[in-house]
Amino acid sequence: MTGWPKCFTEEDEGKDYTPYFIIIALVSMLIFPFLSREILLLIFAGAGVYSYITNSNRNITNLIVSIVLLLLISITANHYSYSLPKYIIVSAIQISTIGFTSATIVRCGTKKDLQENTTNLPSSLALLIAGASSAFIAGSLYVYWTAAVSYELIFFIAVIGAITAALFESIPSSVDRLFSMTLGSAMAMWILAAFGYTVAPLHLLIAFIFALFLGYLAYRTNIADISAVLSATLMGVLIIVFSNFLWFVLLLTFFILGGIFTKYKYNYKLDLGIAQEKGGVRTYENVFSNSTAALVLAIACGIYPQHSNLITYAFLGTVATAAGDTLASEIGTTARQTPRMITNLKPTKTGTDGAVTSLGELASFGGALTIGILGAAFGFVDQIIPAILITCAGGWGGTNIDSLLGATFQKNGYLSNSGVNFVATATGALISGILYVLVL
């Protein structure tokens, strides 16, 4: 084909996969409402065998394999009284075909080096918009013919699925992007559909624009890369729709503090070999490891409003831990005093996992105190002084748990840095939650 941009023929020995993507998107949109899972499985399995035998484009093959796998999961789930609805599968197909094609077109027009085929912010936005739009159209057609669920739910999961797919595309991986995008977006949509939680489209759009805008600002100020922007957007949308804007703003405070204090005496930390990589730019790993506990609590607040007070205090504790740990690391390592291991208080080298200093402990408390004060200022709690104290206790306790895990489990290779961050932030939430039950 000669009418498509050159970048469509750079991969796979010049084969142009775009028309096949469009055919798959349109055909699946038309047949999914009317055919059973078993018939659809036979159709796509046959297409996959044909693609493999004829040595067709690998993007097409990987896409078909992911669709077949989703249909197998759906059929198996039905036998055990669960359900992976067909409207989720057809929506995922649209995101991975129309969305990915749109991203490639934009990437072709904005990239100078087509051989790298890496993502950029404009192409990710194209995938988001085109993927969400096509997924909503396909899902709506399914609902029109089957009356399976509400259009609001279709719109909600389409947006979340598109953000998830864009995130998977932005993460460097040995797994084919079409495979991970299709499965990843489908799993994210399935989880949300299982909750049965719906959001007004206008509320969802405002949340999406707000979260994406703040993520873009972080990107422009070199606080976050593209994967972090998309991770924060995904988390932001979910936190906002299940709780409110201020919960997300409070979580962003941690990232802002981290970005600012990463630059603090950066050259000094660089000389010691303990500075953050890439100038302190955060990636998706930083976002998920420090914010997953907060995301779970925000979703729980929307699903279990009767426990909102307990969940709110736990949320403050987990964000305080993330902020306290970041400030302890970025400020504490600049202390002129000799660090000591948290396990035995013996002197150790600066930057050692589990090393603490009095300056780091003070910085940790300051980060937790900032979150506590902001939480009170945002109206999260009624009893201001106890809330601030409980938040500080959770944040300071979680930060020291982080150091303890670093000196033991991380040092011995049982946990990665991301794993330590996740456990520590979950522990901070647990400490604040327990103190709320005992004190208030």
Side-chain angles (χ1 to χ4, degrees):
M1 304 249 176
T2 58
W4 295 96
K6 181 183 177 183
C7 53
F8 278 107
T9 60
E10 285 292 323
E11 295 184 346
D12 295 335
E13 300 176 354
K15 297 177 182 178
D16 181 8
Y17 54 78
T18 314
Y20 301 101
F21 271 12
I22 295 175
I23 291 172
I24 291 173
L26 294 177
V27 169
S28 61
M29 193 181 299
L30 294 174
I31 66 175
F32 260 73
F34 308 107
L35 300 180
S36 68
R37 292 172 175 83
E38 291 75 13
I39 297 298
L40 290 170
L41 177 61
L42 290 175
I43 292 173
F44 281 99
V49 171
Y50 174 79
S51 177
Y52 178 77
I53 292 175
T54 58
N55 196 26
S56 297
N57 182 279
R58 63 181 174 86
N59 289 286
I60 301 297
T61 303
N62 288 322
L63 174 64
I64 294 174
V65 169
S66 65
I67 297 171
V68 169
L69 183 56
L70 286 174
L71 288 168
L72 284 172
I73 293 173
S74 183
I75 292 171
T76 304
N78 274 354
H79 286 294
Y80 292 95
S81 302
Y82 295 99
S83 176
L84 171 54
K86 289 191 293 179
Y87 64 80
I88 288 178
I89 301 176
V90 73
S91 296
I93 293 172
Q94 306 307 309
I95 293 170
S96 294
T97 52
I98 304 300
F100 185 70
T101 298
S102 301
T104 306
I105 292 174
V106 172
R107 186 159 51 242
C108 180
T110 56
K111 278 172 48 55
K112 294 181 180 180
D113 186 0
L114 300 177
Q115 298 295 331
E116 292 184 5
N117 198 30
T118 54
T119 59
N120 54 37
L121 193 57
S123 69
S124 294
L125 291 176
L127 196 159
L128 276 174
I129 296 171
S133 300
S134 57
F136 175 65
I137 293 171
S140 296
L141 285 175
Y142 186 95
V143 170
Y144 176 81
W145 290 109
T146 64
V149 291
S150 68
Y151 290 103
E152 283 189 352
L153 179 61
I154 292 296
F155 186 68
F156 183 29
I157 66 170
V159 172
I160 297 302
I163 299 174
T164 304
L167 172 60
F168 272 101
E169 195 207 17
S170 70
I171 298 174
S173 173
S174 58
V175 179
D176 182 81
R177 286 180 298 175
L178 268 299
F179 188 80
S180 60
M181 285 168 58
T182 309
L183 291 178
S185 62
M187 293 300 105
M189 291 187 286
W190 189 13
I191 292 172
L192 292 176
F195 285 136
Y197 191 90
T198 58
V199 182
L202 181 60
H203 184 197
L204 180 60
L205 280 176
I206 293 174
F208 171 71
I209 294 171
F210 181 74
L212 183 62
F213 175 71
L214 292 180
Y216 174 75
L217 291 181
Y219 176 76
R220 292 293 297 176
T221 54
N222 292 322
I223 293 177
D225 66 4
I226 294 175
S227 70
V229 171
L230 295 171
S231 303
T233 301
L234 177 61
M235 287 202 165
V237 170
L238 292 174
I239 289 173
I240 290 169
V241 300
F242 280 97
S243 53
N244 58 55
F245 285 96
L246 291 178
W247 283 51
F248 182 50
V249 172
L250 188 70
L251 183 61
L252 277 179
T253 302
F254 143 66
F255 288 105
I256 293 171
L257 287 173
I260 292 173
F261 283 99
T262 295
K263 310 295 182 182
Y264 175 70
K265 293 188 177 181
Y266 185 80
N267 289 332
Y268 172 75
K269 289 182 281 190
L270 190 64
D271 290 339
L272 292 178
I274 58 174
Q276 284 275 349
E277 297 178 356
K278 301 178 181 179
V281 175
R282 265 48 181 179
T283 67
Y284 72 98
E285 291 182 281
N286 300 107
V287 175
F288 282 116
S289 63
N290 286 289
S291 306
T292 298
L295 174 63
V296 171
L297 290 166
I299 293 175
C301 188
I303 298 175
Y304 305 107
Q306 67 272 26
H307 302 299
S308 60
N309 286 336
L310 172 60
I311 295 171
T312 299
Y313 276 86
F315 181 81
L316 290 172
T318 191
V319 179
T321 299
D325 177 54
T326 300
L327 266 61
S329 298
E330 298 299 340
I331 297 177
T333 51
T334 66
R336 298 299 180 178
Q337 69 181 107
T338 301
R340 295 181 178 272
M341 290 299 295
I342 193 172
T343 50
N344 53 26
L345 298 183
K346 292 182 179 180
T348 187
K349 182 181 177 182
T350 299
T352 303
D353 294 328
V356 295
T357 63
S358 56
L359 178 61
E361 293 294 310
L362 183 62
S364 166
F365 185 82
L369 179 63
T370 301
I371 299 302
I373 293 173
L374 285 177
F378 290 164
F380 282 23
V381 292
D382 295 325
Q383 303 183 53
I384 296 177
I385 299 301
I388 292 176
L389 292 176
I390 289 174
T391 301
C392 288
W396 187 79
T399 299
N400 282 281
I401 290 295
D402 184 285
S403 298
L404 183 61
L405 292 172
T408 53
F409 287 88
Q410 184 177 358
K411 182 179 180 180
N412 294 316
Y414 296 118
L415 280 176
S416 65
N417 183 63
S418 295
V420 168
N421 288 338
F422 171 73
V423 175
T425 52
T427 304
L430 183 63
I431 293 172
S432 291
I434 291 175
L435 287 176
Y436 165 78
V437 173
L438 295 177
V439 177
L440 301 178

